[in-house]
mmCIF file with all atom_site columns, all heavy atoms in Angstrom:
data_model
loop_
_atom_site.group_PDB
_atom_site.id
_atom_site.type_symbol
_atom_site.label_atom_id
_atom_site.label_alt_id
_atom_site.label_comp_id
_atom_site.label_asym_id
_atom_site.label_entity_id
_atom_site.label_seq_id
_atom_site.pdbx_PDB_ins_code
_atom_site.Cartn_x
_atom_site.Cartn_y
_atom_site.Cartn_z
_atom_site.occupancy
_atom_site.B_iso_or_equiv
_atom_site.pdbx_formal_charge
_atom_site.auth_seq_id
_atom_site.auth_comp_id
_atom_site.auth_asym_id
_atom_site.auth_atom_id
_atom_site.pdbx_PDB_model_num
ATOM 1  N N   . ALA A 1 20 ? -4.920 28.151 16.650 1.00 0.00 ? 691 ALA A N   1
ATOM 2  C CA  . ALA A 1 20 ? -4.390 29.447 17.071 1.00 0.00 ? 691 ALA A CA  1
ATOM 3  C C   . ALA A 1 20 ? -5.411 30.562 16.859 1.00 0.00 ? 691 ALA A C   1
ATOM 4  O O   . ALA A 1 20 ? -5.579 31.442 17.708 1.00 0.00 ? 691 ALA A O   1
ATOM 5  C CB  . ALA A 1 20 ? -3.104 29.755 16.301 1.00 0.00 ? 691 ALA A CB  1
ATOM 6  N N   . LEU A 1 24 ? -7.508 33.054 19.568 1.00 0.00 ? 695 LEU A N   1
ATOM 7  C CA  . LEU A 1 24 ? -7.633 34.510 19.468 1.00 0.00 ? 695 LEU A CA  1
ATOM 8  C C   . LEU A 1 24 ? -9.102 34.914 19.479 1.00 0.00 ? 695 LEU A C   1
ATOM 9  O O   . LEU A 1 24 ? -9.484 35.868 20.170 1.00 0.00 ? 695 LEU A O   1
ATOM 10 C CB  . LEU A 1 24 ? -6.963 35.012 18.187 1.00 0.00 ? 695 LEU A CB  1
ATOM 11 C CG  . LEU A 1 24 ? -7.066 36.523 17.940 1.00 0.00 ? 695 LEU A CG  1
ATOM 12 C CD1 . LEU A 1 24 ? -6.333 37.298 19.023 1.00 0.00 ? 695 LEU A CD1 1
ATOM 13 C CD2 . LEU A 1 24 ? -6.524 36.880 16.559 1.00 0.00 ? 695 LEU A CD2 1
ATOM 14 N N   . LYS A 1 48 ? -5.286 44.428 15.434 1.00 0.00 ? 719 LYS A N   1
ATOM 15 C CA  . LYS A 1 48 ? -3.860 44.607 15.722 1.00 0.00 ? 719 LYS A CA  1
ATOM 16 C C   . LYS A 1 48 ? -3.215 43.288 16.153 1.00 0.00 ? 719 LYS A C   1
ATOM 17 O O   . LYS A 1 48 ? -2.138 42.923 15.665 1.00 0.00 ? 719 LYS A O   1
ATOM 18 C CB  . LYS A 1 48 ? -3.670 45.660 16.819 1.00 0.00 ? 719 LYS A CB  1
ATOM 19 C CG  . LYS A 1 48 ? -2.221 45.976 17.174 1.00 0.00 ? 719 LYS A CG  1
ATOM 20 C CD  . LYS A 1 48 ? -2.173 47.119 18.185 1.00 0.00 ? 719 LYS A CD  1
ATOM 21 C CE  . LYS A 1 48 ? -0.725 47.512 18.483 1.00 0.00 ? 719 LYS A CE  1
ATOM 22 N NZ  . LYS A 1 48 ? -0.016 46.457 19.251 1.00 0.00 ? 719 LYS A NZ  1
ATOM 23 N N   . GLU A 1 49 ? -3.879 42.563 17.035 1.00 0.00 ? 720 GLU A N   1
ATOM 24 C CA  . GLU A 1 49 ? -3.305 41.301 17.509 1.00 0.00 ? 720 GLU A CA  1
ATOM 25 C C   . GLU A 1 49 ? -3.282 40.254 16.403 1.00 0.00 ? 720 GLU A C   1
ATOM 26 O O   . GLU A 1 49 ? -2.323 39.487 16.285 1.00 0.00 ? 720 GLU A O   1
ATOM 27 C CB  . GLU A 1 49 ? -4.076 40.788 18.723 1.00 0.00 ? 720 GLU A CB  1
ATOM 28 C CG  . GLU A 1 49 ? -3.401 39.608 19.390 1.00 0.00 ? 720 GLU A CG  1
ATOM 29 C CD  . GLU A 1 49 ? -3.914 39.320 20.790 1.00 0.00 ? 720 GLU A CD  1
ATOM 30 O OE1 . GLU A 1 49 ? -4.717 40.119 21.317 1.00 0.00 ? 720 GLU A OE1 1
ATOM 31 O OE2 . GLU A 1 49 ? -3.509 38.288 21.356 1.00 0.00 ? 720 GLU A OE2 1
ATOM 32 N N   . ALA A 1 50 ? -4.334 40.220 15.582 1.00 0.00 ? 721 ALA A N   1
ATOM 33 C CA  . ALA A 1 50 ? -4.355 39.281 14.455 1.00 0.00 ? 721 ALA A CA  1
ATOM 34 C C   . ALA A 1 50 ? -3.197 39.570 13.501 1.00 0.00 ? 721 ALA A C   1
ATOM 35 O O   . ALA A 1 50 ? -2.572 38.640 12.965 1.00 0.00 ? 721 ALA A O   1
ATOM 36 C CB  . ALA A 1 50 ? -5.689 39.377 13.718 1.00 0.00 ? 721 ALA A CB  1
ATOM 37 N N   . GLY A 1 51 ? -2.889 40.853 13.304 1.00 0.00 ? 722 GLY A N   1
ATOM 38 C CA  . GLY A 1 51 ? -1.761 41.212 12.450 1.00 0.00 ? 722 GLY A CA  1
ATOM 39 C C   . GLY A 1 51 ? -0.433 40.808 13.057 1.00 0.00 ? 722 GLY A C   1
ATOM 40 O O   . GLY A 1 51 ? 0.447  40.281 12.367 1.00 0.00 ? 722 GLY A O   1
ATOM 41 N N   . GLU A 1 52 ? -0.281 41.046 14.336 1.00 0.00 ? 723 GLU A N   1
ATOM 42 C CA  . GLU A 1 52 ? 0.969  40.693 15.022 1.00 0.00 ? 723 GLU A CA  1
ATOM 43 C C   . GLU A 1 52 ? 1.211  39.190 15.010 1.00 0.00 ? 723 GLU A C   1
ATOM 44 O O   . GLU A 1 52 ? 2.369  38.736 14.963 1.00 0.00 ? 723 GLU A O   1
ATOM 45 C CB  . GLU A 1 52 ? 0.928  41.214 16.462 1.00 0.00 ? 723 GLU A CB  1
ATOM 46 C CG  . GLU A 1 52 ? 0.991  42.742 16.562 1.00 0.00 ? 723 GLU A CG  1
ATOM 47 C CD  . GLU A 1 52 ? 0.747  43.248 17.970 1.00 0.00 ? 723 GLU A CD  1
ATOM 48 O OE1 . GLU A 1 52 ? 0.295  42.435 18.825 1.00 0.00 ? 723 GLU A OE1 1
ATOM 49 O OE2 . GLU A 1 52 ? 0.987  44.439 18.216 1.00 0.00 ? 723 GLU A OE2 1
ATOM 50 N N   . LEU A 1 53 ? 0.134  38.410 15.040 1.00 0.00 ? 724 LEU A N   1
ATOM 51 C CA  . LEU A 1 53 ? 0.258  36.951 15.025 1.00 0.00 ? 724 LEU A CA  1
ATOM 52 C C   . LEU A 1 53 ? 0.446  36.384 13.622 1.00 0.00 ? 724 LEU A C   1
ATOM 53 O O   . LEU A 1 53 ? 0.621  35.177 13.456 1.00 0.00 ? 724 LEU A O   1
ATOM 54 C CB  . LEU A 1 53 ? -0.982 36.321 15.669 1.00 0.00 ? 724 LEU A CB  1
ATOM 55 C CG  . LEU A 1 53 ? -1.133 36.545 17.184 1.00 0.00 ? 724 LEU A CG  1
ATOM 56 C CD1 . LEU A 1 53 ? -2.505 36.088 17.657 1.00 0.00 ? 724 LEU A CD1 1
ATOM 57 C CD2 . LEU A 1 53 ? -0.034 35.815 17.946 1.00 0.00 ? 724 LEU A CD2 1
ATOM 58 N N   . GLY A 1 54 ? 0.385  37.248 12.628 1.00 0.00 ? 725 GLY A N   1
ATOM 59 C CA  . GLY A 1 54 ? 0.608  36.811 11.251 1.00 0.00 ? 725 GLY A CA  1
ATOM 60 C C   . GLY A 1 54 ? -0.620 36.281 10.561 1.00 0.00 ? 725 GLY A C   1
ATOM 61 O O   . GLY A 1 54 ? -0.519 35.712 9.461  1.00 0.00 ? 725 GLY A O   1
ATOM 62 N N   . PHE A 1 55 ? -1.808 36.487 11.157 1.00 0.00 ? 726 PHE A N   1
ATOM 63 C CA  . PHE A 1 55 ? -3.024 35.920 10.582 1.00 0.00 ? 726 PHE A CA  1
ATOM 64 C C   . PHE A 1 55 ? -3.533 36.735 9.394  1.00 0.00 ? 726 PHE A C   1
ATOM 65 O O   . PHE A 1 55 ? -4.021 36.173 8.413  1.00 0.00 ? 726 PHE A O   1
ATOM 66 C CB  . PHE A 1 55 ? -4.137 35.844 11.639 1.00 0.00 ? 726 PHE A CB  1
ATOM 67 C CG  . PHE A 1 55 ? -3.823 34.924 12.788 1.00 0.00 ? 726 PHE A CG  1
ATOM 68 C CD1 . PHE A 1 55 ? -4.444 35.093 14.017 1.00 0.00 ? 726 PHE A CD1 1
ATOM 69 C CD2 . PHE A 1 55 ? -2.918 33.880 12.652 1.00 0.00 ? 726 PHE A CD2 1
ATOM 70 C CE1 . PHE A 1 55 ? -4.171 34.248 15.085 1.00 0.00 ? 726 PHE A CE1 1
ATOM 71 C CE2 . PHE A 1 55 ? -2.624 33.027 13.705 1.00 0.00 ? 726 PHE A CE2 1
ATOM 72 C CZ  . PHE A 1 55 ? -3.264 33.221 14.929 1.00 0.00 ? 726 PHE A CZ  1
ATOM 73 N N   . ILE A 1 56 ? -3.444 38.056 9.458  1.00 0.00 ? 727 ILE A N   1
ATOM 74 C CA  . ILE A 1 56 ? -4.054 38.901 8.435  1.00 0.00 ? 727 ILE A CA  1
ATOM 75 C C   . ILE A 1 56 ? -3.392 38.691 7.077  1.00 0.00 ? 727 ILE A C   1
ATOM 76 O O   . ILE A 1 56 ? -4.069 38.607 6.047  1.00 0.00 ? 727 ILE A O   1
ATOM 77 C CB  . ILE A 1 56 ? -4.004 40.385 8.852  1.00 0.00 ? 727 ILE A CB  1
ATOM 78 C CG1 . ILE A 1 56 ? -4.934 40.613 10.047 1.00 0.00 ? 727 ILE A CG1 1
ATOM 79 C CG2 . ILE A 1 56 ? -4.403 41.292 7.682  1.00 0.00 ? 727 ILE A CG2 1
ATOM 80 C CD1 . ILE A 1 56 ? -4.897 42.007 10.598 1.00 0.00 ? 727 ILE A CD1 1
#
Side-chain angles (χ1 to χ4, degrees):
L695 178 64
K719 182 175 184 291
E720 189 164 353
E723 291 172 348
L724 291 170
F726 296 156
I727 292 176

